[in-house]
Amino acid sequence: MKKEIPYKIYLSEEELPRQWYNVRADMNTDHAPILNPKTLKPATVADLEPVFCTELAKQELNTTDKYIDIPEEVRNFYKMYRPAPLVRAYCLEKALGTPAKIYYKFEGNNTSGSHKLNSAIAQAYYAKEQGIKHLTTETGAGQWGTALSMACGYFGIDLTVFMVKCSYEQKPFRKAVMQTYGANVIPSPSMTTNVGKKINEEFPGSTGSLGTAISEAVEVATSQPDTKYVLGSVLNQVLLHQTIIGLEAKTAMLKYDEYPDIVIGCAGGGSNLGGLMAPFMEDKIAGKQAPYFIAVEPASCPSLTKGKFAYDYCDTGKVTPLAKMYTLGSGFIPSSSHSGGLRYHGMSPILSQLYHDGYIDEARAVKQTDVFAAATQFAKVEGILPAPESSHAIKVAIDEALKCKETGEAKTILFGLTGTGYFDLAAYTAFNENRMEDYAPTDEELAKGFSYIPELDI
Amino acid sequence: MKKEIPYKIYLSEEELPRQWYNVRADMNTDHAPILNPKTLKPATVADLEPVFCTELAKQELNTTDKYIDIPEEVRNFYKMYRPAPLVRAYCLEKALGTPAKIYYKFEGNNTSGSHKLNSAIAQAYYAKEQGIKHLTTETGAGQWGTALSMACGYFGIDLTVFMVKCSYEQKPFRKAVMQTYGANVIPSPSMTTNVGKKINEEFPGSTGSLGTAISEAVEVATSQPDTKYVLGSVLNQVLLHQTIIGLEAKTAMLKYDEYPDIVIGCAGGGSNLGGLMAPFMEDKIAGKQAPYFIAVEPASCPSLTKGKFAYDYCDTGKVTPLAKMYTLGSGFIPSSSHSGGLRYHGMSPILSQLYHDGYIDEARAVKQTDVFAAATQFAKVEGILPAPESSHAIKVAIDEALKCKETGEAKTILFGLTGTGYFDLAAYTAFNENRMEDYAPTDEELAKGFSYIPELDI
């Protein structure tokens, strides 16, 4: 007889994973290397070291070690907010009248409000170990900047966050959280870097972009002593750290003899979905029973469903290495009408390869208003006010549960609830007041953004 | 040998309490009755029924039943966010270098961001059971309004929230959360009630007060069919529901053979501190080993340390029953310079009686800037960004832990971390930018507010 399943499954601290899982070691691929933007040759650790911490550069390129130890200090920090609960959505199931069993892994129970902290604390730790005194990064919506501020505050590392100016002005509370944790938050474009000065001269009154903010952060990292740059998504190292999500989720499900038929996650840079699905993907690669994987992206920024699998820059400013990934082109500027943090032109190279090779079964693009309708429905019955990003996964989880209602199948659905929406209430208000617009780029608009390099189109 | 204590102690769902603890049944007092404001006679259930749900009116007056069953539907809702963790503040202990063991009961892991949900769901449940279709309430800072919106959204009850107009305008995000859960949020004074119209006529441009908002909410509750009024603090019923906090905390500590030497809580209306300490107070009343209890209040609104133990109205508008409590006088208007939700002229009658009778050992008034300094210190090492209210308890917990450092005593300190500060970032910003002011009313200012009725000064 199966054990009765509680509303929330909490693992004990002893069950907190001791290693991250490096899915690349198991993948049936040659792993298209990232390329040095100057030479277009595969990047080495030495190529990455001027910008990144050495240990993180090694993780970025590691395709052979299946497990990587989680340092004890990182694990101790994790204990302040992990293991994160795996929630059985009894109330949502009842509201939908579905025979499906719905689970979600909730990553919002920490002050950053999202899963970003899982990688922030790891990156800050390796920086501290290397004697780095100062980190730089960029932030758009602010989740990553908040997470990194918490991590740097904990380890006593100085942090400079270049925050896209329009966000800096529209989201003063995000800025305030970062400052409370001790970060120096600078609106970008700023007058503190050459790149920033140049943009301010050329485009007076510019409200900034993620591309410019990255360029400013990298400039500071490479021009000051004991300073490195860190990034919160897309990179292989970030997906590696995020596998803690999937490892915990799998352990929690197996404890109750459960296993998902479907795994659903929102996909922006891809690290949260990658982290959630990796330990289940291990089963699929091994040819065992495995879930049906669905990546959910916004119709306004449809890199998997409308993009091309090709080498491209990771940033708009084209200063970062090139990666082979699904991309709308680094020149693609996502519509600002879409809220949330999924507005990235590319996609995690790991996720991209898995999707290209058919291991991720489906990518689905969804409309913003449908996402907020699902978010509101979820909030009322499950209590948690979800982040707009996470709500993309909720939308598809509800759709799949309603399919089960039609067919009578009692499928087990697992989705990632990456965070809370406390700082996204302007978007909720727009939705509540029927002022929210849907947008999807036309084929002509999409064609404009492509900037990958033809000779690398392999 | 003692078991190793994890960072977070989570009880299982089976350990979630099945009954609230009614501390009044154990108290060595005659329980000064609340008085009908028209007759100044002890209020009966019949007196309270026009305003309150019947079951809640009964709980309000219940001084005999030691335990009251938590209804199954309320318990199921609790399971979505409870049992709440008891956290061992290892990182704070280390940062302070104290031999003290510090624990906090964290009530912020839900969308209302505070313990308010514990009573909101109970009150909404009893309303639904009684066939009430519509509830009204007031909210100042917005935590209570948010919690009640969640509860009413869950049970499908209409909710009208009168939100003090200056908060309505300054905190659009609080309003947005409430609306997302389906509440009708009206800035007070409004033009929808007679009281509101009168205030708007007499004081054009009024930005409102809690007193006016209460009066508006009560007017709607008493003038519309199937409508009742609910309140989030001060009342005995609210403290009863909040005992879930202390019951869980005590069970969790005993599981690890721990028992607090000191229990600390912030005190505004008093329901959270009352709920946390009640099961430990049971030990004290019974003459067993018991903690030293400290109530922490803001220097700007010092009802326990500077108030009078006397009969007074619970609201500024003097429409509610009178209660015997520590009060600064219902005419006392707390300085708006103080942030947070502790700006109430009175104090829970239960807490007041216990303090008067010496069961609560100490009340301590603390300055706002000291509170925010403690909040910031806590946030950096423990990760959680605390609410300003909760941070009053943090301030005193740190002070007590530092005393232990001096004396070398390894005391066990338990405090209540009632909520998160995500909606209080304007105050954090003021603190970060050195714009926060301290304020304490002078004796002359305090003398002005007293409005209790001399013939009742017994």
Side-chain angles (χ1 to χ4, degrees):
Chain A
M1 203 186 101
K2 280 199 172 189
K3 289 176 241 177
E4 195 183 330
I5 296 165
Y7 280 64
K8 298 180 306 305
I9 305 175
Y10 277 106
L11 300 179
S12 72
E13 276 170 21
E14 289 75 46
E15 291 169 306
L16 184 72
R18 293 176 187 278
Q19 298 179 308
W20 295 299
Y21 166 55
N22 183 13
V23 67
R24 291 207 294 170
D26 280 335
M27 284 166 63
N28 299 316
T29 172
D30 289 337
H31 298 291
I34 60 170
L35 305 181
N36 182 319
K38 287 177 190 152
T39 62
L40 298 184
K41 294 266 160 52
T44 63
V45 169
D47 288 332
L48 299 178
E49 276 181 327
V51 177
F52 294 115
C53 300
T54 305
E55 195 58 37
L56 292 165
K58 285 182 189 164
Q59 290 183 358
E60 193 59 31
L61 301 181
N62 189 330
T63 57
T64 50
D65 297 322
K66 183 162 173 175
Y67 295 104
I68 292 176
D69 287 345
I70 303 174
E72 199 55 28
E73 281 190 70
V74 173
R75 212 164 160 271
N76 282 342
F77 186 93
Y78 278 166
K79 286 178 188 170
M80 287 202 286
Y81 70 102
R82 309 200 68 84
L86 177 73
V87 186
R88 173 74 184 270
Y90 281 119
C91 296
L92 180 61
E93 290 170 17
K94 192 177 157 198
L96 297 174
T98 177
K101 292 188 279 185
I102 307 174
Y103 289 90
Y104 55 91
K105 181 72 173 163
F106 181 44
E107 292 289 324
N109 270 352
N110 70 74
T111 294
S112 81
S114 80
H115 65 292
K116 296 282 185 188
L117 195 53
N118 300 333
S119 185
I121 192 63
Q123 295 193 46
Y125 167 78
Y126 289 118
K128 185 204 70 160
E129 284 298 288
Q130 196 179 327
I132 301 301
K133 304 275 184 271
H134 178 200
L135 289 174
T136 70
T137 198
E138 78 291 330
T139 201
Q143 283 183 329
W144 169 247
T146 306
L148 195 63
S149 300
M150 292 174 68
C152 287
Y154 184 77
F155 284 129
I157 299 170
D158 289 341
L159 173 64
T160 302
V161 179
F162 289 92
M163 188 171 188
V164 177
K165 193 178 274 176
C166 62
S167 288
Y168 182 92
E169 284 161 2
Q170 285 167 12
K171 297 196 169 189
F173 293 163
R174 273 287 182 200
K175 177 185 65 185
V177 183
M178 291 186 258
Q179 287 171 337
T180 296
Y181 284 95
N184 178 24
V185 187
I186 300 176
S188 167
S190 76
M191 294 302 281
T192 66
T193 66
N194 293 328
V195 172
K197 283 179 201 159
K198 191 157 166 271
I199 298 275
N200 273 318
E201 252 169 47
E202 284 177 24
F203 307 99
S206 162
T207 57
S209 72
L210 213 49
T212 306
I214 293 176
S215 304
E216 289 202 88
V218 171
E219 181 183 321
V220 172
T222 51
S223 62
Q224 292 187 6
D226 297 330
T227 301
K228 297 289 173 192
Y229 166 75
V230 292
L231 183 66
S233 189
V234 186
L235 298 178
N236 300 325
Q237 58 186 271
V238 178
L239 194 149
L240 172 73
H241 305 148
Q242 296 298 355
T243 59
I244 189 104
I245 303 173
L247 291 164
E248 286 182 7
K250 194 176 179 184
T251 303
M253 294 196 85
L254 292 179
K255 250 182 130 157
Y256 287 87
D257 302 323
E258 289 281 76
Y259 193 88
D261 297 307
I262 307 174
V263 169
I264 300 165
C266 63
S271 56
N272 103 75
L273 172 57
L276 174 65
M277 76 180 186
F280 300 101
M281 188 57 78
E282 181 184 8
D283 297 340
K284 190 153 196 163
I285 293 170
K288 298 183 197 166
Q289 179 200 353
Y292 183 86
F293 294 105
I294 308 177
V296 190
E297 58 185 13
S300 64
C301 194
S303 41
L304 286 171
T305 52
K306 298 265 187 172
K308 194 172 163 65
F309 187 53
Y311 267 106
D312 195 6
Y313 293 95
C314 294
D315 68 321
T316 314
K318 301 187 183 182
V319 298
T320 60
L322 292 97
K324 189 162 185 186
M325 58 184 176
Y326 279 87
T327 176
L328 297 168
S330 54
F332 178 77
I333 307 289
S335 160
S336 66
S337 80
H338 192 93
S339 58
L342 303 177
R343 286 178 291 168
Y344 181 66
H345 69 275
M347 180 58 65
S348 147
I350 296 174
L351 231 70
S352 294
Q353 189 71 52
L354 287 167
Y355 181 58
H356 183 72
D357 294 346
Y359 288 100
I360 294 176
D361 300 275
E362 185 184 343
R364 208 177 287 180
V366 294
K367 285 196 302 182
Q368 178 166 230
T369 50
D370 291 342
V371 165
F372 274 84
T376 302
Q377 182 179 15
F378 179 85
K380 280 188 187 161
V381 292
E382 288 288 320
I384 297 167
L385 186 79
E389 297 85 344
S390 326
S391 304
H392 286 71
I394 294 174
K395 160 67 182 151
V396 169
I398 290 176
D399 287 348
E400 292 300 312
L402 290 175
K403 275 187 207 166
C404 287
K405 187 178 181 178
E406 277 181 31
T407 63
E409 287 172 287
K411 286 188 182 172
T412 300
I413 298 169
L414 168 65
F415 72 89
L417 189 68
T418 53
T420 52
Y422 306 139
F423 292 92
D424 301 288
L425 285 159
Y428 272 98
T429 301
F431 176 73
N432 291 336
E433 296 175 355
N434 291 315
R435 290 186 285 102
M436 180 170 278
E437 286 173 19
D438 282 314
Y439 165 81
T442 62
D443 289 345
E444 290 76 37
E445 285 169 319
L446 285 171
K448 278 186 211 160
F450 280 107
S451 60
Y452 57 91
I453 299 172
E455 65 264 32
L456 295 174
D457 188 13
I458 46 181
Chain B
M1 203 186 98
K2 278 198 175 190
K3 288 175 240 176
E4 195 184 329
I5 295 164
Y7 280 64
K8 298 181 306 302
I9 305 176
Y10 277 106
L11 300 179
S12 72
E13 276 169 21
E14 288 76 46
E15 292 169 307
L16 184 72
R18 293 176 188 280
Q19 298 179 308
W20 294 300
Y21 166 55
N22 183 14
V23 68
R24 291 209 292 170
D26 280 334
M27 285 166 62
N28 299 317
T29 173
D30 289 337
H31 298 292
I34 59 171
L35 305 181
N36 182 321
K38 287 178 190 153
T39 62
L40 298 184
K41 294 265 160 52
T44 62
V45 170
D47 287 333
L48 299 178
E49 276 182 325
V51 177
F52 294 114
C53 300
T54 305
E55 195 57 37
L56 292 165
K58 287 182 189 165
Q59 291 183 357
E60 193 59 31
L61 302 181
N62 190 329
T63 58
T64 50
D65 297 321
K66 184 163 173 175
Y67 294 104
I68 291 176
D69 286 345
I70 303 174
E72 199 55 30
E73 280 190 73
V74 174
R75 211 163 162 272
N76 282 342
F77 186 93
Y78 279 166
K79 287 179 187 171
M80 289 203 285
Y81 69 103
R82 308 199 70 84
L86 177 73
V87 185
R88 173 75 184 270
Y90 282 119
C91 296
L92 179 61
E93 291 169 17
K94 192 176 157 197
L96 297 174
T98 177
K101 292 187 277 186
I102 307 174
Y103 289 89
Y104 54 91
K105 181 71 173 164
F106 181 44
E107 291 289 324
N109 270 352
N110 69 74
T111 294
S112 81
S114 81
H115 65 292
K116 297 281 184 187
L117 195 54
N118 299 333
S119 185
I121 192 66
Q123 295 193 46
Y125 167 79
Y126 289 118
K128 186 204 70 160
E129 283 298 287
Q130 196 179 327
I132 301 301
K133 304 275 184 271
H134 179 201
L135 288 174
T136 70
T137 199
E138 77 291 332
T139 201
Q143 283 184 330
W144 168 247
T146 306
L148 194 63
S149 300
M150 292 173 68
C152 287
Y154 183 77
F155 283 130
I157 298 169
D158 289 340
L159 173 65
T160 302
V161 180
F162 288 93
M163 187 171 189
V164 178
K165 194 179 272 177
C166 63
S167 287
Y168 181 92
E169 284 162 2
Q170 284 167 13
K171 298 196 169 191
F173 293 163
R174 271 288 182 200
K175 178 185 63 185
V177 183
M178 291 186 259
Q179 287 171 337
T180 296
Y181 284 95
N184 178 25
V185 186
I186 300 177
S188 167
S190 77
M191 294 302 281
T192 66
T193 66
N194 294 327
V195 173
K197 281 179 202 158
K198 189 156 168 274
I199 298 275
N200 272 318
E201 250 169 48
E202 285 176 22
F203 308 97
S206 161
T207 57
S209 72
L210 214 47
T212 305
I214 293 178
S215 305
E216 289 202 86
V218 171
E219 181 183 322
V220 173
T222 50
S223 62
Q224 291 188 7
D226 297 331
T227 300
K228 298 288 172 193
Y229 166 75
V230 292
L231 183 65
S233 192
V234 186
L235 298 178
N236 301 327
Q237 59 187 270
V238 178
L239 194 148
L240 173 73
H241 305 149
Q242 297 298 355
T243 58
I244 189 104
I245 302 173
L247 291 165
E248 286 183 7
K250 193 175 180 185
T251 303
M253 293 197 86
L254 292 180
K255 250 184 129 157
Y256 287 87
D257 302 323
E258 289 282 76
Y259 192 87
D261 297 305
I262 307 174
V263 169
I264 301 165
C266 63
S271 56
N272 102 76
L273 171 57
L276 173 65
M277 75 179 187
F280 299 101
M281 189 57 79
E282 181 184 8
D283 297 340
K284 190 153 196 162
I285 294 170
K288 298 185 196 166
Q289 178 200 354
Y292 183 86
F293 294 104
I294 308 176
V296 190
E297 58 185 13
S300 64
C301 194
S303 41
L304 286 171
T305 52
K306 300 263 188 173
K308 194 173 164 64
F309 187 53
Y311 267 104
D312 195 6
Y313 293 95
C314 295
D315 68 320
T316 314
K318 302 186 183 183
V319 299
T320 59
L322 291 97
K324 190 162 187 187
M325 58 182 175
Y326 278 88
T327 175
L328 297 169
S330 55
F332 178 77
I333 305 290
S335 161
S336 66
S337 80
H338 192 94
S339 57
L342 304 177
R343 286 178 291 168
Y344 181 65
H345 69 276
M347 181 57 66
S348 146
I350 296 175
L351 231 70
S352 294
Q353 189 72 52
L354 288 167
Y355 181 58
H356 184 72
D357 295 344
Y359 288 100
I360 294 176
D361 300 274
E362 185 184 342
R364 208 178 286 179
V366 293
K367 286 197 300 182
Q368 178 166 230
T369 50
D370 290 343
V371 165
F372 274 83
T376 302
Q377 182 179 14
F378 179 84
K380 280 187 187 161
V381 292
E382 287 289 320
I384 296 167
L385 186 80
E389 296 86 344
S390 327
S391 304
H392 287 69
I394 294 174
K395 160 67 181 150
V396 169
I398 290 176
D399 286 348
E400 293 300 310
L402 290 175
K403 276 187 206 165
C404 288
K405 188 178 180 176
E406 278 181 29
T407 63
E409 287 173 288
K411 287 189 182 172
T412 300
I413 298 169
L414 168 65
F415 72 88
L417 189 68
T418 54
T420 52
Y422 305 140
F423 291 92
D424 302 287
L425 285 159
Y428 272 97
T429 301
F431 177 73
N432 291 336
E433 296 175 355
N434 291 314
R435 289 187 286 102
M436 180 170 278
E437 287 172 19
D438 282 314
Y439 165 81
T442 63
D443 289 345
E444 289 76 37
E445 285 169 319
L446 285 172
K448 278 186 212 161
F450 281 107
S451 60
Y452 58 92
I453 299 172
E455 64 264 34
L456 295 174
D457 189 12
I458 43 179

